[in-house]
Amino acid sequence: KNRNSLWMFSAKDMEWHGLEIEGGELPGAVVDNSTLVHDSKRDRLLFFVKSYGRDRVYDGQIYAYDFETAEVSQLSPQGMEAAHAIPYLCQIRYDEANDLLLVGATLPPDQDGFRRTPAYDPAKNEWISLKITGDDPSGERGRNVSLGMMYDPQRKLFLAVDTSSQVCALRLAPASADRQPLKE
């Protein structure tokens, strides 16, 4: 009944209102394998979805809903072929100060055994990876289904809590995080 529909809650009248949708179709949602993020600089919603199952991989596609035009589009970002390595999509948060979306998961270890963090650069429409050191709340496998992550814009901090109630804080500094294109 509500396929390809989008709803917004109005605090003014305490009601849900359906939004108009033009152009393409929204991808839907999959438990533990999807999220949406508000890109406040461009006033749009970004949708990330992967099919359910351990044998399924993310195709790297990002869907966008533009609030001004009501259009749905596929962004087909650079590096999307390599996005299959992103193990978990539920925790993706937007850092407006740095204009980056950070994924709350890490990639498989590189040749030195380091797990880089995937991110999306909306200005360049590109999947990238960052070298972020310190405690990693996403765990040894780079995927923690019990992870909760948020971005605090006033403090410019990512905050994450794991299943053991351990809290990690990150002030992202992309200039010193060895930014690289996402690679296979």
Side-chain angles (χ1 to χ4, degrees), residues 42-61:
R42 294 157 195 86
D43 197 23
R44 63 185 182 178
L45 288 176
L46 301 177
F47 298 79
F48 305 81
V49 178
K50 158 182 126 45
S51 296
Y52 194 78
R54 290 179 192 243
D55 59 334
R56 307 289 174 87
V57 295
Y58 177 46
D59 65 4
Q61 186 61 264

Side-chain angles (χ1 to χ4, degrees), residues 58-130:
Y58 177 46
D59 65 4
Q61 186 61 264
I62 301 170
Y63 296 80
Y65 174 83
D66 186 300
F67 280 104
E68 184 177 332
T69 65
E71 283 196 47
V72 171
S73 60
Q74 294 184 24
L75 298 182
S76 302
Q78 295 174 51
M80 67 185 278
E81 307 79 24
H84 68 84
I86 299 172
Y88 195 56
L89 297 177
C90 283
Q91 303 297 324
I92 301 176
R93 302 296 178 255
Y94 181 55
D95 173 353
E96 185 176 319
N98 290 303
D99 197 21
L100 282 175
L101 281 80
L102 192 67
V103 177
T106 53
L107 300 168
D110 62 17
Q111 65 275 9
D112 298 322
F114 190 82
R115 300 183 76 94
R116 295 178 66 88
T117 302
Y120 172 68
D121 180 336
K124 294 184 177 180
N125 192 28
E126 177 183 27
W127 280 109
I128 62 171
S129 71
L130 302 171

